[in-house]
Amino acid sequence: MADNTAQPLSITARKLAAQADAVLDQMFGYFTREEAPRVIETRRAA
């Protein structure tokens, strides 16, 4: 059986987890972007 002692994650482990979460968020946004209705850009260049 695995040892399930609750130890705080190291800073490196937290950074890796945050980077992985960011990549998954980007991938999810990319793949769901086409399914959402497109908003017509109405801003004009200043």
Side-chain angles (χ1 to χ4, degrees), residues 39-44:
V39 176
I40 298 172
E41 187 66 41
T42 56
R43 254 186 312 173
R44 298 175 188 247

Side-chain angles (χ1 to χ4, degrees), residues 25-34:
D25 286 343
Q26 286 179 344
M27 289 173 61
F28 182 76
Y30 174 78
F31 286 116
T32 57
R33 175 176 61 198
E34 296 302 321

Side-chain angles (χ1 to χ4, degrees), residues 5-32:
T5 56
Q7 293 181 345
L9 292 175
S10 67
I11 293 172
T12 304
R14 279 185 248 155
K15 283 184 182 177
L16 286 174
Q19 288 174 346
D21 288 344
V23 169
L24 289 174
D25 286 343
Q26 286 179 344
M27 289 173 61
F28 182 76
Y30 174 78
F31 286 116
T32 57

